[in-house]
Amino acid sequence: MKDLNIAIVGAGIGGLSAALALQRLGFRVTVHEQAPRLAEVGAGLSLSPTAVHGLNWLGMQSVLESKAYKPEDQCVRHWQDARPLGWINRGRDLVQKYGERYYLIHRADLHDGLAARVRAHDPAAIVLNRRCERIEQDADGVDLAFGDGTRLRADVLIGADGSRSAVRQALFGALEPQYTGYIAWRGLVPMELVPPEILEPPSGIFLGPGHLVNRYPVRNGELLNFVAFAERRAWSEEGWSIRSTVQELLDEFSGWTPWVRRFMELVPSHLLFKWGLFDREPLAGWSKGRITLLGDAAHPVLPFLGHGAVLAIEDGVVLARAFAASDSVPEALSRYEAARRERAAFVVHESRKAGRQFHAPDTESYRERTGGKAADEGIGLFSYNPVTQPV
Ligand SMILES: Cc1cc2nc3c(=O)[nH]c(=O)nc-3n(C[C@H](O)[C@H](O)[C@H](O)COP(=O)(O)OP(=O)(O)OC[C@H]3O[C@@H](n4cnc5c(N)ncnc54)[C@H](O)[C@@H]3O)c2cc1C
């Protein structure tokens, strides 16, 4: 098994976590990424205790310690007057119960840290400008064809190419995206511009009718990240890099507390993006022959629990452990799916549910509906550990 030539398509958080996990266990991998360079893309990602266990195992502690923000208490506030509706502990209580805490990190910092470690194992492991366009497999291997004319043969292929995955399409056909009726903005504000009095505490959620805003520091406190959800009847374009304007955002959040509007006013326009939230029905299986899927390619998830990157990291760690525990490729893929399918389906389902709860029209009944608890509390979301999960 250690001689296998493993190809991964997609150098996102999922592809790089899988590559690093496989390398750590002595496997040889090449990651093929369509982008011409690994650029500074995205904004904040939340890392729950389950992902942190995986990242620790991957040797990423120093990145978490130097770059991520460690929230202790997160406050849920009212959209009009910012009064507290509930408090959620993201530190000591989680450490006590699950052995790890929450971290909040800029996607680019996590991505850079993973890429550097993959390249430290093998400087040639990540190949850029490689858009995978065709895949064919037989009993012994997989043939891949890329947009630049390159062709190669691998023993195994892992499709980690995101929610609009070409590998998934080749295996299982098109998975039609359903627009959810929600859009979201993401923005980054230089922290020195933000008045400290609207940051009490720095990690906070604001709830309003049909709207939700989540904001927290990233990059060691240098930037304030926010994501702002709103209902919108129609939307067509799917993608991470659609530009917006501060005015459009402020119009959507008119009447909201200065605690929210103030940092929205301060976001530089080149750090403000919007996207439509699309949902896809879960697949019945992720693997066929010598090909499997991972991360958003396998189980696209709505962002209401902030678990897209979490699931992708867990997948990567479990996949590598499944390969290390197996004597053949079919055995490895079947162990991987068995250890991941239920967990991913649960998170996908709970994320949909959390979306409905956050967007219930009346903020006043928040305590009644939730008992003041976070959507992720008490549902077993953190009762998984990719490092110890039997494979
Ligand atoms: C540019 C970008 C910005 C993002 N920003 C945020 C954010 O601000 N907040 C947030 O919560 N989540 C963000 N996400 C999503 C988040 O990273 C994922 O939901 C989560 O990390 C799961 O990652 P993944 O590796 O499965 O998929 P992704 O992160 O989507 O990575 C997939 C990778 O595959 C590559 N790829 C796609 N098709 C091909 C192909 N045919 N051939 C070769 N390579 C291909 C893509 O370029 C990408 O690098 C972003 C994703 C991207 C791609």
Side-chain angles (χ1 to χ4, degrees), residues 10 24 52 57 90-91 99 112 126 147 151 210 258 266 300 317 319 326 365:
R24 192 185 175 281
V52 176
W57 186 78
R90 295 298 191 193
D112 284 355
I126 304 172
R151 287 161 181 270
L266 295 167
V317 170
L319 177 88
S326 301
S365 68

Side-chain angles (χ1 to χ4, degrees), residues 32-49:
H32 304 274
E33 165 60 45
Q34 65 180 0
R37 58 197 180 96
L38 297 184
E40 169 97 347
V41 276
L45 294 177
S46 52
L47 299 171
S48 72

Side-chain angles (χ1 to χ4, degrees), residues 9-16 32-35 38 41-46 107 111 130-133 146 160-167 186 225 240-241 275 294-297 301 303 306 308-310 312:
V9 169
I13 304 297
L16 293 180
H32 304 274
E33 165 60 45
Q34 65 180 0
L38 297 184
V41 276
L45 294 177
S46 52
R107 183 179 182 274
H111 197 252
R130 279 271 175 90
R131 179 175 175 75
C132 178
E133 290 189 342
F146 296 93
D161 50 346
S163 52
R164 287 179 287 168
S165 168
V167 178
R186 64 179 161 91
N225 172 81
W240 284 105
S241 304
W275 78 99
L294 177 146
D296 283 355
V301 57
V310 169

Side-chain angles (χ1 to χ4, degrees), residues 1-6 18-29 57 121 320-321 323-324:
M1 290 288 280
K2 294 279 160 80
D3 295 334
L4 287 172
N5 163 17
I6 303 176
L20 184 54
L22 285 161
Q23 287 174 329
R24 192 185 175 281
L25 294 177
F27 292 92
R28 204 157 38 95
V29 280
W57 186 78
H121 277 277
R321 291 182 52 235
F323 268 87

Side-chain angles (χ1 to χ4, degrees), residues 301-325:
V301 57
L302 291 173
F304 296 112
L305 293 176
H307 262 56
V310 169
L311 283 182
I313 294 162
E314 292 173 7
D315 282 349
V317 170
V318 171
L319 177 88
R321 291 182 52 235
F323 268 87

Side-chain angles (χ1 to χ4, degrees), residues 215-245:
R215 60 113 171 90
Y216 51 83
V218 290
R219 187 147 298 162
N220 205 14
E222 287 167 30
L223 294 166
L224 183 69
N225 172 81
F226 70 85
V227 56
F229 296 99
E231 288 172 349
R232 186 159 297 182
R233 195 160 297 174
W235 189 267
S236 51
E237 203 180 347
E238 204 182 359
W240 284 105
S241 304
I242 304 164
R243 297 262 178 204
S244 181
T245 62

Side-chain angles (χ1 to χ4, degrees), residues 266-298:
L266 295 167
V267 61
S269 54
H270 69 285
L271 295 177
L272 179 63
F273 297 91
K274 61 182 175 180
W275 78 99
L277 270 52
F278 287 81
D279 204 1
R280 290 172 168 83
E281 280 312 307
L283 292 168
W286 303 344
S287 312
K288 240 186 210 174
R290 293 178 160 265
I291 308 177
T292 195
L293 301 172
L294 177 146
D296 283 355

Side-chain angles (χ1 to χ4, degrees), residues 23-335:
Q23 287 174 329
R24 192 185 175 281
L25 294 177
F27 292 92
R28 204 157 38 95
V29 280
T30 311
V31 188
H32 304 274
E33 165 60 45
Q34 65 180 0
R37 58 197 180 96
L38 297 184
E40 169 97 347
V41 276
L45 294 177
S46 52
L47 299 171
S48 72
T50 66
V52 176
H53 285 303
L55 290 170
N56 289 340
W57 186 78
L58 289 172
M60 290 283 289
Q61 294 94 334
S62 62
V63 173
L64 296 182
E65 286 308 318
S66 62
K67 301 281 189 187
Y69 175 70
K70 296 199 266 184
E72 188 55 46
D73 291 303
Q74 187 179 44
C75 189
V76 182
R77 293 184 183 275
H78 191 275
W79 66 286
Q80 272 174 317
D81 55 15
R83 72 176 180 274
L85 299 169
W87 288 86
I88 303 160
N89 186 265
R90 295 298 191 193
R92 60 186 176 272
D93 292 359
L94 295 178
V95 173
Q96 229 169 51
K97 270 198 206 153
Y98 305 106
E100 260 306 344
R101 56 166 13 270
Y102 249 84
Y103 287 84
L104 302 163
I105 195 165
H106 192 308
R107 183 179 182 274
D109 291 336
L110 180 63
H111 197 252
D112 284 355
L114 289 167
R117 280 159 182 74
V118 169
R119 284 175 166 150
H121 277 277
D122 173 3
I126 304 172
V127 188
L128 301 173
N129 254 325
R130 279 271 175 90
R131 179 175 175 75
C132 178
E133 290 189 342
R134 255 201 0 268
I135 300 157
E136 277 164 28
Q137 65 171 322
D138 54 41
D140 304 318
V142 185
D143 292 308
L144 292 112
F146 296 93
D148 64 354
T150 313
R151 287 161 181 270
L152 60 85
R153 187 163 170 87
D155 298 313
V156 186
L157 169 62
I158 295 154
D161 50 346
S163 52
R164 287 179 287 168
S165 168
V167 178
R168 184 184 65 220
Q169 167 121 11
L171 283 193
F172 300 110
L175 208 55
E176 282 310 313
Q178 317 278 332
Y179 175 57
T180 56
Y182 301 123
I183 67 163
W185 283 262
R186 64 179 161 91
L188 291 165
V189 189
M191 195 61 98
E192 73 260 17
L193 302 178
V194 184
E197 60 273 18
I198 63 164
L199 291 176
E200 190 37 58
S203 170
I205 292 174
F206 295 81
L207 287 183
H211 291 74
L212 177 145
V213 177
N214 186 1
R215 60 113 171 90
Y216 51 83
V218 290
R219 187 147 298 162
N220 205 14
E222 287 167 30
L223 294 166
L224 183 69
N225 172 81
F226 70 85
V227 56
F229 296 99
E231 288 172 349
R232 186 159 297 182
R233 195 160 297 174
W235 189 267
S236 51
E237 203 180 347
E238 204 182 359
W240 284 105
S241 304
I242 304 164
R243 297 262 178 204
S244 181
T245 62
V246 171
Q247 198 52 54
E248 184 188 8
L249 180 63
L250 288 172
D251 288 348
E252 184 69 44
F253 288 84
S254 97
W256 277 56
T257 167
W259 282 60
V260 169
R261 287 179 61 85
R262 193 76 196 96
F263 65 72
M264 287 179 167
E265 284 161 8
L266 295 167
V267 61
S269 54
H270 69 285
L271 295 177
L272 179 63
F273 297 91
K274 61 182 175 180
W275 78 99
L277 270 52
F278 287 81
D279 204 1
R280 290 172 168 83
E281 280 312 307
L283 292 168
W286 303 344
S287 312
K288 240 186 210 174
R290 293 178 160 265
I291 308 177
T292 195
L293 301 172
L294 177 146
D296 283 355
H299 42 67
V301 57
L302 291 173
F304 296 112
L305 293 176
H307 262 56
V310 169
L311 283 182
I313 294 162
E314 292 173 7
D315 282 349
V317 170
V318 171
L319 177 88
R321 291 182 52 235
F323 268 87
S326 301
D327 295 320
S328 70
V329 171
E331 182 188 347
L333 299 189
S334 128
R335 281 179 188 267

